[in-house]
Amino acid sequence: MAPSHALRCCKRALNWIPVLFINLVVGWSYYAYVVELCVCEYTDFMGRVDRSQWRTSCSCSQFRDTIPNNAERISYLVVFHVFFTMFVWAYWKTICSTPASPSKAFGLPRAEKELYEREEQAERQQEILKKVARNLPVYTRTAGGAIRYCDICQVVKPDRCHHCSTCEMCVLKMDHHCPWVNNCVGFSNYKFFVLFLAYASLYCVVICATVIQYFIKFWTKQLPDTHAKFHILFLFFVAAMFFISILSLLSYHLWLVGKNRTTIEAFRAPVFANGPDKSGFSLGFGRNVAEVFGDEAKYWMFPVVSNHADGVGTSPCVLSNNIQHTVDDSKETIEEYLHAMEEALNITIDPACLQEPPLASDVIQQLDVFGFCLYGMLTCMSCISLLLYLEQCVYIYKKMPYPKKTTIIWITGAAPVIATMACFGMWIPKAVMFTDMTSNCYFAVVVYKVLVLIIEELGGSDGFMKRFLGEGFRINTGPCCCCCLCLPRVPMSWRMLFWLKLGALQYAILKTVLSVLCIILWTNGYFDLSDLEITGTAIWINPFIGVLTIVSLWPVAITFMNTNSHLRGLNIVPKYAMYQLILVLSQLQTSIINILALDGTIACAPPFSSQARGSMLSQQMMIMEMFIISLVNRCLYRRTYDTLPSEARDNEQNTKVLVEHDV
Ligand SMILES: [Zn+2]
Ligand SMILES: [Zn+2]
């Protein structure tokens, strides 16, 4: 008993990870905006303060008097804090609201409960439930026509109520279980959730709108080199990325509010006595909005409770439409019950939830207007990034010298290739395994090519060795940064360069070989990602690939860390940052979503099983993210940079830097 309890505690703790992640991102964005942009470095941006002066002094307050445009700074801070407060308020209200569960009236009275438990025949049990439900305001049925009853909570489920396996309770007007707030979104907090999405997107808009001018200055190199620059760069990207993803979710939920539909009902229409009806709960646009946001418009903007209904969902229109069909339930014959029960028993676990990913035709069939728009937009995005990439290939091919151009063509191809593969995966869920493997193999080559690019920019292997032969390279970097701070510096030699190259190259080769092996095993049913048994192959191959990945990232990180000061003029830092971003998004994000799907946090919604829906989600996010990255990469690589300073001048600069460091 104890281990299962511990396991449950572990799982509960794990469920807080996405919330922690969001809070860290929000906390960092606050720091980057308020401290780095508005308070400290503002003077730097205006170019009024000498950098050396800045370095010697740690206190920002000394420079406050010199800020020329105080009004702008204060207005930024005020607007930012208004949206920040509203966003955090709505977010925490969504997290902290306890989901509303059915009242005691929906539980079986003691006598009926005993009867129900003793009864073994399903149709008799249904009869008992029907008798109880006659006195309750319950108008929806299972797809088979039976009374909806939760065996775990032992209640007759009110209309729109569903059992959440993560919260382990029945939730009134359940919309979905949201991992990002680690709570069920339903009757008690749907308004807060929609406000949270709205304020989150406004928060991103405020950040993007005010940061963009510094962002542009950054690209056009009008700003001095400070660490604030990178906070600003990432602030803009992160805000833009979140904005796109949140906006699509927000527009979907606003559409649902207008239709008085929950996400679950949008996937599977509620069944009334006269059959399934997607719009069964709709009361007309105005009343639908009031049902979520309350009658008084003055409270709409604030995440406070403003509707006083009981959440059981007895809409007057439902009453008038369906009541005459439900009252004469008693006249139904036993045969009809039997038939209904047979269907109901088959339906309790929707077969689609256990199935493999759906066919492309099923995906297209279940698309509604919103889905078509979303799919269309995403397909356009991946097409645009691919076309831009092809155009850029021609440009690079014409303008760049030989060994460098193939390397750059490989590296800039990562984002468009991943976006295109994700687009295929989105339309054809059954092919996800192949598309994922193609993009992963491609990226494995890119890891090696980034190393090659750094070496080529420094003049190829010969040029590289001329500069660095005998120099101590710091190797406490990359994936092992925390655990081996005390690692000694290693002098650079031809052998060391060989090992660095080999370390990165092995991944490109082995990853491809192992992917092919996985596909061969999979065709014979020996490879299944969800199979976590010790006898399965996935549990052996995947950690091995993980180790190979870390081994290959290390040489690239070492080379970058020890050479980036020489390559600043080539914008190597943002280029490297983009490569890291692709790495994090394509590996980490996908794994997090996969774990959430395996764990059941991402609910099953026919025709998608949890896993298929999770992978669908990550494909869609990937397309948007890769689209943005390919645009940025285009700006970064499609520029002519000044040639590197000669070695002698370089050494001079190095000694200068070293002296500064020692001081
Ligand atoms: Zn339940
Ligand atoms: Zn839940």
Side-chain angles (χ1 to χ4, degrees), residues 150-155 157 161-164 168-171:
C150 178
D151 281 312
I152 301 165
C153 309
Q154 303 190 316
V155 288
K157 286 186 197 165
C161 169
H162 297 272
H163 186 88
C164 172
E168 294 172 340
M169 65 185 284
C170 274
V171 179

Side-chain angles (χ1 to χ4, degrees), residues 72-218:
E72 195 180 336
R73 187 172 62 124
I74 290 170
S75 58
Y76 277 11
L77 282 174
V78 169
V79 173
F80 176 83
H81 275 95
V82 168
F83 286 100
F84 179 77
T85 316
M86 294 307 285
F87 162 54
V88 173
W89 185 11
Y91 183 49
W92 279 95
K93 279 289 259 189
T94 320
I95 295 176
C96 296
S97 314
T98 335
S101 52
S103 68
K104 277 206 178 113
F106 288 88
L108 300 186
R110 181 177 283 188
E112 274 83 356
K113 200 172 180 176
E114 279 171 14
L115 257 174
Y116 181 86
E117 276 162 13
R118 243 183 288 137
E119 198 55 70
E120 274 166 13
Q121 279 180 296
E123 64 267 30
R124 288 280 174 76
Q125 289 185 326
Q126 260 306 303
E127 264 179 89
I128 298 166
L129 291 181
K130 284 237 160 160
K131 213 190 271 173
V132 176
R134 204 162 293 152
N135 306 319
L136 293 170
V138 176
Y139 304 103
T140 52
R141 298 284 182 267
T142 66
I147 300 281
R148 301 181 336 119
Y149 180 75
C150 178
D151 281 312
I152 301 165
C153 309
Q154 303 190 316
V155 288
V156 174
K157 286 186 197 165
D159 295 342
R160 322 188 82 175
C161 169
H162 297 272
H163 186 88
C164 172
S165 50
T166 313
C167 302
E168 294 172 340
M169 65 185 284
C170 274
V171 179
L172 292 183
K173 201 183 171 189
M174 179 172 169
D175 191 88
H176 66 288
H177 184 94
C178 178
W180 302 109
V181 297
N182 190 23
N183 198 358
C184 253
V185 175
F187 175 73
S188 65
N189 60 357
Y190 191 58
K191 178 190 172 188
F192 309 152
F193 178 74
V194 176
L195 283 178
F196 151 60
L197 293 180
Y199 285 121
S201 46
L202 285 173
Y203 178 70
C204 293
V205 168
V206 168
I207 290 180
C208 286
T210 50
V211 164
I212 193 161
Q213 47 176 320
Y214 303 110
F215 181 78
I216 291 169
K217 282 185 187 163
F218 172 79

Side-chain angles (χ1 to χ4, degrees), residues 360-612:
S361 55
D362 295 334
V363 175
I364 295 167
Q365 267 170 16
Q366 60 91 37
L367 284 180
D368 48 17
V369 181
F370 173 81
F372 262 116
C373 294
L374 181 72
Y375 272 54
M377 191 182 76
L378 292 173
T379 313
C380 279
M381 278 183 172
S382 55
C383 288
I384 290 172
S385 59
L386 195 65
L387 287 176
L388 287 178
Y389 170 64
L390 291 178
E391 190 268 341
Q392 193 183 341
C393 281
V394 177
Y395 173 85
I396 291 172
Y397 202 79
K398 280 182 187 161
K399 300 268 169 161
M400 301 245 173
Y402 162 65
K404 219 164 93 179
K405 65 183 168 191
T406 48
T407 316
I408 292 184
I409 286 176
W410 267 101
I411 295 175
T412 48
V417 166
I418 296 176
T420 313
M421 285 300 137
C423 185
F424 281 125
M426 179 181 76
W427 284 104
I428 312 167
K430 276 194 191 290
V432 160
M433 186 157 163
F434 295 94
T435 57
D436 274 1
M437 277 177 181
T438 314
S439 29
N440 283 337
C441 292
Y442 188 92
F443 190 73
V445 178
V446 167
V447 172
Y448 173 67
K449 289 288 177 182
V450 169
L451 180 72
V452 172
L453 179 72
I454 295 177
I455 294 175
E456 271 169 11
E457 293 286 16
L458 288 160
S461 296
D462 291 325
F464 183 84
M465 287 320 287
K466 260 187 206 159
R467 269 171 214 267
F468 297 109
L469 190 66
E471 201 175 296
F473 263 40
R474 276 192 293 150
I475 57 168
N476 52 346
T477 167
C480 316
C481 54
C482 349
C483 50
C484 40
L485 273 173
C486 45
L487 277 179
R489 281 172 179 253
V490 176
M492 175 47 70
S493 61
W494 279 99
R495 170 170 297 205
M496 164 96 164
L497 181 65
F498 169 75
W499 283 113
L500 287 177
K501 280 185 178 175
L502 186 70
L505 185 62
Q506 53 81 20
Y507 182 53
I509 298 170
L510 288 178
K511 171 82 195 177
T512 316
V513 172
L514 285 173
S515 298
V516 173
L517 180 72
C518 288
I519 289 180
I520 293 172
L521 288 175
W522 173 77
T523 49
N524 213 17
Y526 293 138
F527 186 83
D528 178 11
L529 270 180
S530 58
D531 175 17
L532 296 176
E533 291 295 314
I534 205 82
T535 48
T537 44
I539 206 159
W540 296 101
I541 293 181
N542 284 339
F544 183 59
I545 292 181
V547 173
L548 291 183
T549 316
I550 290 174
V551 169
S552 73
L553 296 179
W554 203 19
V556 183
I558 291 176
T559 321
F560 169 75
M561 198 177 70
N562 289 285
T563 58
N564 71 54
S565 59
H566 299 265
L567 296 171
R568 279 279 155 82
L570 303 172
N571 252 342
I572 195 76
V573 179
K575 283 177 186 170
Y576 188 75
M578 283 300 122
Y579 144 80
Q580 293 263 301
L581 200 61
I582 298 180
L583 174 77
V584 170
L585 292 174
S586 65
Q587 309 292 320
L588 207 64
Q589 177 184 280
T590 315
S591 324
I592 291 177
I593 293 180
N594 273 341
I595 292 170
L596 288 177
L598 278 177
D599 160 55
T601 310
I602 296 175
C604 153
F608 295 99
S609 65
S610 289
Q611 257 179 296

Side-chain angles (χ1 to χ4, degrees), residues 208-249:
C208 286
T210 50
V211 164
I212 193 161
Q213 47 176 320
Y214 303 110
F215 181 78
I216 291 169
K217 282 185 187 163
F218 172 79
W219 289 118
T220 50
K221 299 210 151 194
Q222 290 176 29
L223 292 180
D225 252 335
T226 61
H227 67 282
K229 230 165 77 164
F230 299 107
H231 282 288
I232 306 300
L233 167 82
F234 273 102
L235 193 59
F236 185 79
F237 279 126
V238 172
M241 240 174 236
F242 270 89
F243 176 70
I244 294 178
S245 1
I246 293 172
L247 190 70
S248 50
L249 195 62

